[in-house]
Amino acid sequence: MKNIITLNDLIIKAVEELDEERVIKLASKALKSGMDPLFLLDLIKEGVKRVGKLYEEQKYFIADLIMAGLIFKEVLELEEIKAQFQRKSDEIEGKIVVGTVKGDLHDIGKDIFKGLMEVNGFEVIDLGVDVPEDAFVKSVIKYKPDIVGLSGVLTTTVESMKDVVEALVQAGVRNSVKIILGGNHITREACEYIGADSFTNDASEGVKICKQLLKSK
Amino acid sequence: MEDAKVLQQERISIYHDIYDDRVPKRVPVNINLPFEVIAQFGGLDLRQAHWNPAMLEEAVDRICELVYSDVCVFMGSFRYPSFYHILKSQSFKMASNGYIQHPEVSGMYPEDYDYLIKNPYDCLVERVIPRLYKAFNPDDPIGFALNFAKSLLAYKEDFTLSAEIRKKMIDKYGYYPEGLFSENCGFTETPFDFLADQLRGFKGISRDIRKMPGKVAAACEALYPLVFKKGLPKKISKYSQVFLPLHMPPFLREEDFAKLYWPTFKRMLDEYASMGIRCTIFCEHDWMRHLDYLYELPTDTTLWFEYGNPKLIKEKLGKKHIITGLYPIMNLKTKTKKECVEEAKRYVDILAPGGKYIFNFDKSPLLLSDIKLENLCAVAETVRDYAVYTNPGEVAGMVFKKEDYKASALKNFESRYYISREEYEKLYPELSDFARGKLERLDDEMFDYLMFLLL
Ligand code: B12
């Protein structure tokens, strides 16, 4: 029993230290010795959360968040995990559709935000990059998310984001979702101009805002 | 025409005052708009205009007439589709709306590190460029050779066309004639950013930093002579500048920055300084954590900031370096004209005192819809008229002397794809000096083009 406990800690720690090889080695070992894949994922998520914490404390930076995201992805690719990866819906805090808006291909920020949302219990539907407004509308109708998250870094995305909000209004679904914007260039004025509910230029703050938005729904 | 000459003299003197460490008559207004914005302004189809830069002239003329700036409002473009298309570029592709897209690419794999470290130029030419430019097809060497030559012709043609437009405008409107695209200026990246950009990609490098930091450091050392040479201006004058956009530092932990980024970056700027060349560095994103490092760079480095606290920046760096940027371009879209103008005065009040300040925005707009032109004009004119000094000619802060900087003995790189003058002497003793000099210059141009493809 003692062994297992230390293995858990080791896994979390390896993630926290961003030691990719060690994470994969330990994870494979744990799975072989019978660890429940869902439990393993929780450990990994705990590690990623700690990375997020270190980021908030300014001990880690964006390159570290990218690395944590890569490790998370790698673990999801393990055979045992792939087979099992079906979250029970009662564990889900909320559902969000995210995407980088039309004209923009930058996805580093979006992927970081997505990763942090997942480890915080959200179901994330990721539409990718350069996503036109009607793709957002379609997926809002299809998945009925609580929140729509629009990502972008280019100054031109102010218009693309506005187009998405307007398209949601047109389709009559604007009021069924909360809309949050993410990107460094977004200011309060830009957020008002776009007509979103909230904005941030920090992924972990984004997670907090999303939790609040859920409550206020 | 006469007016333009007079105005040009004034512009030359305010820029030269800045670089000669004197307080100028007024703060230079350094506004450039990219190709796309001007094409849209002229109502041109971006797809056509990108293929035919000469089309832009009328729109450039009109925008120069409209927008006040001390440098040519049209900065040209690095990204014409002709040569990228011919070379089947994966890094730069024209989108359906005519915009040149730059998706994330990774032309170098982790297993290439050892070769890159040993033979950097060979690695770039043999492995990286062929992965990013599919026209480099080993199965069709003749087709490829022809296409490569064709792409170089296209590159020369399009750059010449836009340089001609710029030259006309500089004469007509009396702009400060030197700048990013002029002969005495250069453009390059730091070794680390060069590695992070098209070689490993931003995600790839983030992983390498944790998994193989030793190789990352060695790769930066190996790339150093290449990116340094790439940046060297064709002609070096007292007012030569090398421009470097800096991407990665805000994303790195301090210890990673100190170990992996800083050493070759600092050496590069020192080495340029030892030749009398000062650099303009675009500190993308937020550099507030790195101000103490920036202080260590050679005197009169022009620091173009995107974000940050202007007061603190001025206090810490304003006596040694030239500050520019910071004014949020977003304001021009979302705020009123009055607010934009007030904000411009606020930046001037903080950053102008004591000299060593050039007005610019935090970044360039990408499309015309990013800005309200009316606000842009109002801000530019406000700075011109408001940011006037009462003490022109006084010494402005610290003074740049190239003797203060030592060049590390620049080790030239060796490669079977680059023949140096000494090698030409050995290979072709029968040729005249002139002939060998010419061949060497052509090698340099080829080097320049190949490196450009990775920038
Ligand atoms: C990396 C990068 C690239 C990479 C992108 C790789 C990738 N897969 O994303 C490459 C090299 C491909 C690239 C291409 C281009 N780029 Co670029 N790029 C950058 C760079 C260096 C960093 C951007 C980034 O990833 N930031 C880090 C992330 C983490 O920040 P973020 O996105 O804001 O995300 C954070 C928060 O906002 C939040 N968040 C993000 N999304 C969301 C979503 C929600 C819902 C929430 C709540 C939160 C949230 O979480 C994140 C973490 O806190 C910046 C300059 C810089 N140093 O900032 C330029 C920059 C963004 N690029 C720029 C440009 C111009 C381009 C190109 C157009 C260049 C060209 N023509 O050749 C192309 C554009 C292609 C396109 N159409 O998108 C300009 C934009 C200027 C402008 N006026 O907008 C910048 C600002 C550089 C500059 N200063 O000039 N780029």
Side-chain angles (χ1 to χ4, degrees), chain B residues 40-110:
Chain B
Q40 288 179 321
F41 169 76
L44 301 174
D45 177 348
L46 205 47
R47 278 168 310 177
Q48 280 182 25
H50 261 138
W51 274 93
N52 180 8
M55 266 174 85
L56 212 65
E57 182 168 338
E58 196 205 319
V60 170
D61 198 347
R62 273 174 43 220
I63 201 125
C64 288
E65 180 91 49
L66 186 69
V67 176
Y68 185 82
S69 173
D70 291 317
V71 290
C72 183
V73 179
F74 172 53
M75 66 174 163
S77 170
F78 278 126
R79 313 293 179 207
Y80 294 108
S82 55
F83 43 91
Y84 290 125
H85 177 87
I86 295 166
L87 289 178
K88 298 196 169 68
S89 171
Q90 307 300 298
S91 323
F92 299 95
K93 294 181 177 177
M94 187 146 102
S96 56
N97 63 358
Y99 194 79
I100 307 296
Q101 283 295 12
H102 176 30
E104 182 167 5
V105 292
S106 173
M108 173 190 162
Y109 307 146

Side-chain angles (χ1 to χ4, degrees), chain A residues 66-81:
Chain A
I66 296 174
M67 187 61 194
L70 290 172
I71 293 178
F72 190 44
K73 246 198 207 147
E74 202 108 324
V75 173
L76 290 179
E77 294 289 306
L78 293 173
E79 281 309 317
E80 293 87 339
I81 301 272

Side-chain angles (χ1 to χ4, degrees), chain A residues 103-107 151 153-155 183 203, chain B residues 101 104 284 306 364:
Chain A
D104 197 339
L105 304 176
H106 294 80
D107 62 3
S151 181
V153 298
L154 301 177
T155 37
Chain B
Q101 283 295 12
E104 182 167 5
E284 292 178 0
E306 189 171 354
S364 302

Side-chain angles (χ1 to χ4, degrees), chain A residues 20 63-64 155-156 159 184, chain B residues 207 251 253 285 333 370:
Chain A
E20 183 182 3
D64 300 302
T155 37
T156 51
E159 286 303 325
N184 245 308
Chain B
R207 177 182 255 150
F251 303 161
R253 294 184 206 166
H285 205 260
K333 183 183 180 76
D370 284 355

